[in-house]
Amino acid sequence: MNQPTVVIVSDDPEFSGAISSRWQQDRGSPAFTLVSGDLCNGLSPETFDLVIVGNVRDDLQSSVIKTLEQSGKPVLLVQDETAVEEKHPRLLTLARHEGWLETLVLLASEVLRRYEAVTRLRRAEQTNAVLERQAALGRYVIDMRHNLNNALTSILGNSELLLLDAKGLPAQPHSQVETIRNMALRVNEILQRFSSLEKELTVAARQNESEIKSKSHAAAAW
């Protein structure tokens, strides 16, 4: 896992410094970017994984929260009261109380872990979708192989018959028939490679299945 980046949006340097200093005491702490409330509009969602908001000017807080929520990244708000939850139900809020800093680090760490897990799941789903499309195309080619072979057999057979009667063909048509025959042979070679690949994939799938069964039996015996 790459080091995550946490943006702390605050107009109070002590607030930002307290969070970053405390979190950096733990192993695997994230990288921090400190931003004031009036500059958060310039943040790119691709550059951070979590936003912590606190001690932002009252006239900016609403617009800051709205802007950050549109980023699609988790937003954690630290404040003295939690009434903002009614307007922003997706917002994570933490009331400032004794020991709030320790709670914040624990909560934010868990949010980052969950966000990373969701991100990995989405990437896996996207990769799986691509593989499924490729597999469907491969199955279609394999299913159509028989029909293609029949068509190629006809093309090759007729082109060979025409070439046997070379005396009856002028030079240009003779050359064109040779080209048809040669291209058909190339297509046939490609189809033969598909057949070889299908066999290799079948053998690999059987070996993988066998290994999985062996590992399952070993685990059961253990």
Side-chain angles (χ1 to χ4, degrees), residues 116-132:
E116 174 65 16
V118 171
T119 300
R120 288 183 177 179
L121 176 60
R122 289 175 179 172
R123 289 174 182 169
E125 290 174 344
Q126 293 172 353
T127 301
N128 186 57
V130 172
L131 292 176
E132 286 182 352

Side-chain angles (χ1 to χ4, degrees), residues 61 65 69 75-77 79 81-95 107:
Q61 180 166 292
I65 292 174
E69 281 189 318
V75 181
L76 176 57
L77 174 66
Q79 60 175 22
E81 55 185 23
T82 58
V84 71
E85 290 182 356
E86 298 177 0
K87 296 181 180 180
H88 304 274
R90 295 179 57 189
L91 187 70
L92 297 172
T93 60
L94 176 65
L107 177 59

Side-chain angles (χ1 to χ4, degrees), residues 10 31 50 52 68 92 95 104 119 132 166 187:
S10 179
L50 169 69
I52 299 175
L68 295 175
L92 297 172
L104 171 66
T119 300
E132 286 182 352
V187 174

Side-chain angles (χ1 to χ4, degrees), residues 91-119:
L91 187 70
L92 297 172
T93 60
L94 176 65
R96 196 189 305 269
H97 54 73
E98 184 178 356
W100 69 271
L101 192 55
E102 295 296 326
T103 303
L104 171 66
V105 172
L106 291 173
L107 177 59
S109 298
E110 181 61 26
V111 170
L112 285 175
R113 281 192 290 269
R114 292 190 179 186
Y115 181 76
E116 174 65 16
V118 171
T119 300

